[in-house]
């Protein structure tokens, strides 16, 4: 199991990026009732059978690691959400893309801590690939949007450590606006 | 801190540009690659990534070091894993690289050019033997 909310989000987004998408979008909504997350991609998608098997921890499509027999991302999420009394759903279509939605209620002691949101967004934006990523964040301090291509252009790419430090400062300013 | 605009971010980049030009860095570039599969994330790879970014910049190597993420490196039992590719040194995959070791990784491997022997889990043996 993962420790924080951001770990689940990053894990699901990693799946989205590995599906070969042109665009990945992430919605992270925080209300008094809890966190709601939607991750969408227009990558390869799954058939109904593959989607059902993706929830089996002892199944993986074998494309990333030929000898590996487990795939834990979605099973971890489903287990954690159900433990906390939240909800999750996955929609996918082969050749069209995948949408994963989940919510953790704030009233449950089993909901994971939110953690550092700027660190989560830094990790999301730096996931490898040429895809576009759109992050929409709404929370107690208002809402904002992040677009990967714009930020990459502004800081001079998303790989050099100096650029990543600048990007982190920007993300902190967006999240903790006084 | 007020919300920054993209224009302010661009200006900040210009202001903070260090003396090193891209050309001077060519050939000396160091790559630090953090494993960000499910196993890595569960072991704290997100925090490790953050800590490496901070430590590299604190050491003044921000323009010289490329930091990337990748999926599982196949060493799930010693996550978080970090691969370091540095000129003149063997390519190494370090294991158990929680955020507490980020500073040591930068100081020893990137600055002093020494390996962190207790964290090596792949790749070094053949290169070291040759050297």
């Amino acid at each position: 199991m993962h420790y924080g909310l951001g770990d689940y989000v990053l894990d699901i987004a990693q799946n989205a990026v590995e599906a070969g998408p042109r665009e990945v979008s992430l919605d992270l909504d925080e209300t008094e009732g809890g966190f709601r997350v939607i991750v969408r991609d227009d990558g390869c998608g799954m058939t109904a059978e593959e989607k059902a098997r993706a929830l089996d921890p002892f199944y993986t499509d074998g494309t990333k690691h030929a000898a590996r027999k487990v795939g834990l991302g979605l099973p971890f999420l489903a287990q954690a959400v159900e433990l906390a009394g939240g909800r999750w759903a996955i929609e996918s279509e082969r050749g069209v893309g995948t949408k994963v939605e989940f919510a953790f209620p704030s009233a449950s002691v089993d909901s994971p801590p939110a953690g550092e949101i700027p660190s989560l967004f830094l990790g999301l934006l730096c996931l490898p690939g040429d895809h576009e990523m759109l992050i929409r964040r709404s929370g107690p301090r208002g809402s904002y949007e992040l677009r990967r291509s714009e930020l990459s252009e502004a800081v001079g790419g998303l790989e050099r450590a100096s650029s990543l430090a600048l990007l982190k400062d920007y993300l902190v300013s967006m999240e903790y606006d006084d | 801190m007020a919300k920054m605009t993209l224009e302010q971010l661009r200006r900040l980049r210009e202001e903070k540009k260090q003396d090193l030009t891209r050309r001077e860095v060519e050939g000396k570039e160091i790559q630090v690659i953090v494993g960000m599969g499910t196993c890595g994330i569960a072991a704290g790879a997100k925090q490790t990534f953050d800590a490496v970014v901070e430590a590299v910049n604190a050491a003044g190597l921000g323009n010289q070091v490329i930091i990337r993420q990748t999926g599982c490196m196949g060493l799930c039992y010693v996550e978080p894993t970090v691969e370091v590719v540095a000129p003149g040194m063997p390519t190494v995959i370090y294991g158990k690289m929680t955020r507490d070791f980020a500073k040591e990784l930068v100081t020893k491997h990137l600055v002093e050019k020494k390996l962190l022997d207790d964290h090596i889990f792949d790749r070094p043996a053949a290169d070291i033997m040759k050297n």
Side-chain angles (χ1 to χ4, degrees):
Chain A
M1 296 270 280
H2 290 320
Y3 175 73
L5 174 81
D7 297 334
Y8 292 102
V9 176
L10 189 58
D11 202 342
I12 298 304
Q14 169 88 355
N15 288 345
V17 165
E18 288 181 343
R22 286 189 305 276
E23 183 166 313
V24 174
S25 72
L26 171 90
D27 293 86
L28 179 60
D29 301 326
E30 180 182 359
T31 64
E32 282 186 8
F35 277 94
R36 175 170 166 265
V37 180
I38 303 173
V39 181
R40 292 187 186 87
D41 72 74
D42 58 3
C44 62
M46 292 179 279
T47 63
E49 187 192 355
E50 286 169 335
K51 192 180 84 170
R53 296 193 73 187
L55 297 166
D56 176 355
F58 299 104
Y59 168 76
T60 179
D61 63 10
T63 54
K64 284 186 274 186
H65 301 280
R68 200 170 64 183
K69 303 295 183 195
V70 296
L72 298 176
L74 276 170
F76 268 9
L77 175 68
Q79 185 183 10
V81 166
E82 286 170 9
L83 187 69
R87 58 189 170 77
W88 62 271
I90 176 169
E91 296 170 18
S92 191
E93 188 177 340
R94 194 54 148 165
V96 176
T98 301
K99 174 186 170 188
V100 178
E101 182 174 2
F102 57 96
F104 282 104
S106 56
S108 171
V109 294
D110 290 315
S111 286
E116 284 292 318
I117 301 296
S119 295
L120 166 62
F121 289 167
L122 180 69
L124 288 169
L125 292 163
C126 293
L127 286 170
D130 296 328
H131 57 275
E132 176 63 287
M133 180 178 280
L134 179 63
I135 297 174
R136 287 179 287 259
R137 160 80 164 132
S138 69
R141 299 178 192 85
S143 59
Y144 60 89
E145 285 189 6
L146 306 168
R147 187 171 283 277
R148 188 176 191 250
S149 56
E150 287 178 350
L151 293 168
S152 176
E153 174 270 321
V155 300
L158 296 172
E159 290 192 328
R160 206 162 290 275
S162 53
S163 301
L164 300 187
L166 276 177
L167 178 58
K168 179 76 184 292
D169 288 345
Y170 177 80
L171 297 172
V172 168
S173 86
M174 298 301 281
E175 183 66 22
Y176 301 117
D177 176 26
D178 288 331
Chain B
M1 187 192 297
K3 276 193 176 81
M4 227 188 272
T5 64
L6 280 173
E7 195 45 47
Q8 286 172 318
L9 183 59
R10 288 187 190 100
R11 277 207 299 274
L12 195 60
R13 179 187 164 213
E14 290 303 316
E15 287 166 15
K16 290 198 173 179
K17 263 187 181 168
Q18 296 176 14
D19 295 335
L20 275 174
T21 65
R22 188 88 171 220
R23 197 170 175 183
E24 286 169 326
V25 167
E26 272 174 22
K28 299 175 190 169
E29 215 158 66
I30 298 166
Q31 292 182 59
V32 179
I33 304 155
V34 181
M36 203 66 76
T38 298
C39 45
I41 293 169
K46 188 158 61 67
Q47 288 79 8
T48 297
F49 182 83
D50 239 27
V52 170
V53 171
E54 194 177 323
V56 166
N57 281 287
L61 298 173
N63 280 339
Q64 200 179 334
V65 179
I66 298 288
I67 304 177
R68 294 196 177 104
Q69 299 180 54
T70 188
C72 169
M73 296 190 206
L75 300 170
C76 307
Y77 61 102
V78 287
E79 294 287 352
T81 47
V82 176
E83 180 171 6
V84 184
V85 184
M89 293 185 73
T91 297
V92 177
I93 295 180
Y94 290 120
K96 301 183 181 179
M97 288 303 297
T98 55
R99 64 179 164 194
D100 298 339
F101 294 103
K103 195 173 173 186
E104 190 180 344
L105 173 80
V106 171
T107 307
K108 281 191 76 174
H109 193 128
L110 306 192
V111 177
E112 297 173 12
K113 308 292 182 193
K114 293 176 184 165
L115 299 177
L116 282 68
D117 296 338
D118 294 342
H119 289 270
I120 296 173
F121 282 88
D122 197 13
R123 298 277 177 90
D127 297 306
I128 288 173
M129 291 302 284
K130 279 181 203 167
N131 292 338

